[in-house]
Amino acid sequence: MLTQQLRLLTEALRPPHGCHLSGLFCRLGGVRQLLQLATDAHFAPLRLHVLRALSAVCCAVPCVRAMEEEGGVDLVCQLLCDPSLPVGVRHEAAAVLAQMTAPWLTANHKVHGLTCHLPGVVQALTDMAEEAAGEEVLLLSAAGLANLTFIERQVLPQLTSRSSPEKLVAAAERFPNNVFILDQVATVLANAASGGDSRLRRLAVPALVQYLQVTADQRWPDSTQAAYRRLQQKTAVALTRLCVDRRTACHLVSAGATTRLERLCREPELRGRDDGVLVACLTSLRRILSFCPEERAQKACDLVQPKLMEVFMHLSSEGDSEDEKRR
């Protein structure tokens, strides 16, 4: 009976009405009640369903604050990091963590109580990615790590010491056509690139060149098209941050990265008519060619020599003109 009620609650709290109902549920003490169920040994068989409900309810910032106040952050991290628990429970704990740290929760700049658990959490999510047999689990673990790079800057040394970026790249090779997974891996690489780790640069650059070559399928649904655009933008950002010397730049040129970046800049359809992708690709192209003046002289002069804003306005307006012609 309680299992069925938890399932109904979880469904009710999902979009499109979930955020409004989550706030009401939180004000009525629902988060506290769910956490009590999760910690009661008598209800241990229901823990997986309780965690699913918590994942659904954390789509609203007040519910994340309630998780902090009621000890929910500690509980979720402890469940995630406990290898004696069933795999399904640990996966659901990872889902709750990913939801609490989601970057689209715009007013949620910090999850209090999370920092002290970072070593264990990063290790658990990295292990989960390595061992993932399916796309869903790998996406979950990659999203958890990617979200942490936004909300917890102290996570970068933890990622480096555990070789998490390298292991994520290796895991993603099992699902090369899943742009949602590649999007999350590119996010980790882009944010980890700010640390200046030469070992990361050697590993990440070949992977990012591959991600840059991914081409959208017009039959994809809108959500997949959006993930593709995020992938292109984050890949370009990562390449900009990792291109710190002539050797790396020359490798990117020979690997075809600059050719692809140039196409993404010039062809609005290829980048999904996304201005964010355009800016990222322009910046990356100009950065790479700044180390290779001979290449800059041969091609893409009109993208590199004028001021960035001038080039952006020109290419963006070209895309708008094509739209007008279609109308």
Side-chain angles (χ1 to χ4, degrees):
M1 181 66 176
L2 188 53
T3 301
Q4 182 63 21
Q5 289 176 333
L6 286 168
R7 286 174 178 163
L8 291 172
L9 174 64
T10 302
E11 287 303 316
L13 293 173
R14 294 191 189 282
H17 306 296
C19 289
H20 171 71
L21 293 176
S22 291
L24 177 61
F25 181 79
C26 178
R27 289 193 295 274
L28 294 174
V31 171
R32 182 186 305 113
Q33 295 298 320
L34 287 175
L35 290 172
Q36 287 176 356
L37 283 175
T39 54
D40 192 326
H42 179 71
F43 294 107
L46 298 176
R47 191 171 284 156
L48 184 145
H49 299 288
V50 173
L51 289 170
R52 284 180 182 165
L54 284 170
S55 179
V57 83
C58 284
C59 67
V61 174
C63 299
V64 178
R65 301 285 84 84
M67 288 285 287
E68 295 170 341
E69 295 167 4
E70 301 294 339
V73 176
D74 291 331
L75 174 64
V76 167
C77 292
Q78 289 164 8
L79 295 176
L80 172 62
C81 299
D82 187 346
S84 69
L85 292 175
V87 172
V89 171
R90 297 176 64 209
H91 289 173
E92 292 302 331
V96 178
L97 180 65
Q99 187 71 7
M100 287 194 300
T101 56
W104 54 264
L105 291 175
T106 53
N108 190 39
H109 304 299
K110 179 76 174 176
V111 176
H112 297 284
L114 181 56
T115 304
C116 62
H117 293 286
L118 281 180
V121 165
V122 171
Q123 187 66 62
L125 291 173
T126 302
D127 292 344
M128 193 179 294
E130 274 196 296
E131 298 164 5
E135 295 174 294
E136 186 175 347
V137 174
L138 178 54
L139 177 59
L140 184 62
S141 53
L145 290 169
N147 291 355
L148 287 175
T149 63
F150 286 113
I151 207 165
E152 282 282 354
R153 297 305 295 177
Q154 297 179 45
V155 80
L156 296 182
Q158 303 293 338
L159 292 172
T160 301
S161 66
R162 288 162 178 78
S163 301
S164 299
E166 293 93 324
K167 293 174 181 177
L168 271 182
V169 168
E173 289 175 356
R174 302 197 293 271
F175 308 102
N177 298 318
N178 190 315
V179 293
F180 294 96
I181 291 174
L182 299 183
D183 170 34
Q184 298 301 329
V185 176
T187 299
V188 172
L189 296 177
N191 291 341
S194 60
D197 183 2
S198 60
R199 185 183 63 176
L200 173 66
R201 186 161 60 250
R202 288 192 298 272
L203 163 104
V205 167
L208 290 166
V209 171
Q210 289 183 357
Y211 299 170
L212 201 62
Q213 301 298 333
V214 173
T215 302
D217 187 328
Q218 295 304 315
R219 295 170 295 181
W220 284 347
D222 290 346
S223 59
T224 310
Q225 297 280 358
Y228 164 77
R229 293 192 294 272
R230 292 194 302 270
L231 170 63
Q232 297 303 313
Q233 182 176 10
K234 291 169 186 174
T235 298
V237 169
L239 288 174
T240 302
R241 293 174 178 173
L242 290 167
C243 187
V244 296
D245 53 37
R246 178 177 170 81
R247 181 178 179 180
T248 303
C250 290
H251 171 71
L252 288 170
V253 172
S254 63
T258 49
T259 300
R260 178 65 173 179
L261 287 167
E262 184 179 354
R263 284 194 64 199
L264 285 164
C265 291
R266 296 190 189 280
E267 300 176 29
E269 291 287 353
L270 193 60
R271 63 173 186 269
R273 302 186 175 279
D274 189 294
D275 284 347
V277 176
L278 174 57
V279 171
C281 290
L282 270 175
T283 304
S284 186
L285 181 64
R286 293 162 72 100
R287 173 72 170 176
I288 296 166
L289 294 182
S290 70
F291 289 102
C292 307
E294 67 282 1
E295 293 289 339
R296 181 174 55 192
Q298 293 176 20
K299 59 182 181 179
C301 290
D302 58 321
L303 301 182
V304 176
Q305 290 181 351
K307 292 182 180 180
L308 177 61
M309 183 55 69
E310 291 177 2
V311 181
F312 166 75
M313 294 298 293
H314 172 66
L315 292 173
S316 182
S317 64
E318 277 189 350
D320 292 340
S321 298
E322 289 184 20
D323 288 339
E324 289 295 332
K325 290 177 183 177
R326 288 188 180 87
R327 295 191 190 113

